[in-house]
Amino acid sequence: MKRIAILAVMAVAACGVDGPPERPAAPKTAPKSNVSISGHATMGVITEL
């Protein structure tokens, strides 16, 4: 249990280490193309009894 608490504290302490947040730059319009991207992702747990 102590390890989980230490990891949690380290994870929270690491937030914002590089400085205050910066606003993202304005999006640039990309040229039109005929390329499309698609995908499929799954996640789960497999168990045997």
Side-chain angles (χ1 to χ4, degrees):
M1 193 68 176
K2 284 185 179 182
R3 289 183 185 175
I4 294 173
I6 290 171
L7 288 174
V9 169
M10 289 173 58
V12 172
C15 295
V17 170
D18 59 343
E22 297 177 6
R23 179 169 289 179
K28 297 178 181 177
T29 56
K32 298 281 184 179
S33 66
N34 294 328
V35 177
S36 65
I37 299 174
S38 65
H40 178 80
T42 59
M43 183 171 62
V45 177
I46 299 173
T47 60
E48 288 186 28
L49 297 175

